[in-house]
Amino acid sequence: MFDVPDDTHYLDSHEWARRDDGTVRVGISDFAQDELGDVVFVELPGVGDDVSAGETFGVVESIKAVSDLYAPVSGEVTAVNDDLFDQPELVNDDPYGDGWMLEVALADESELDDLLSAEAYRDQIE
């Protein structure tokens, strides 16, 4: 059984988004990190870059595959988890905690309503 926190929204491509003090924190789900296997590299945009909901914002590379990362919301990147550049395994170890990837200042609050709830995401991965 995979960890699917109830306070988090999801894309069907396995990225997650969680509100955090006026911004939205973004990462990949426990299911996604398990499917990828050991993460060895993460490419992320820079602070100040804009991301668009449903568009790619980076790449995650594992021992099994290279996968695009899709933004669950649109807005300006306000923070990037620099620890992932030296420790990409944080994505595997703690995908909803230390393995977060970006923080985005929401351009449109209603985009969160378009994402999957935890319950809907659980149904998708089971």
Side-chain angles (χ1 to χ4, degrees), residues 1-49:
M1 196 60 148
F2 296 101
D3 187 19
V4 181
D6 288 332
D7 64 345
T8 306
H9 303 274
Y10 300 87
L11 274 177
D12 56 7
S13 55
H14 310 293
E15 290 81 2
W16 57 262
R18 180 184 303 139
R19 267 200 161 291
D20 186 41
D21 289 336
T23 60
V24 173
R25 190 167 269 194
V26 174
I28 65 170
S29 72
D30 187 29
F31 174 83
Q33 68 79 22
D34 186 72
E35 289 290 305
L36 284 167
D38 293 337
V39 173
V40 295
F41 177 77
V42 178
E43 180 182 308
L44 302 172
V47 172
D49 289 350

Side-chain angles (χ1 to χ4, degrees), residues 81-103:
N81 187 354
D82 292 331
D83 292 342
L84 295 182
F85 300 123
D86 294 329
Q87 300 172 296
E89 66 273 13
L90 291 173
V91 174
N92 296 111
D93 296 342
D94 191 9
Y96 302 105
D98 292 341
W100 67 276
M101 295 178 172
L102 306 174
E103 288 182 352

Side-chain angles (χ1 to χ4, degrees), residues 52-99:
S52 298
E55 301 292 322
T56 60
F57 70 82
V59 172
V60 61
E61 183 177 338
S62 72
I63 57 172
K64 291 182 180 176
V66 176
S67 298
D68 287 332
L69 297 165
Y70 294 91
V73 294
S74 301
E76 181 180 333
V77 176
T78 59
V80 172
N81 187 354
D82 292 331
D83 292 342
L84 295 182
F85 300 123
D86 294 329
Q87 300 172 296
E89 66 273 13
L90 291 173
V91 174
N92 296 111
D93 296 342
D94 191 9
Y96 302 105
D98 292 341

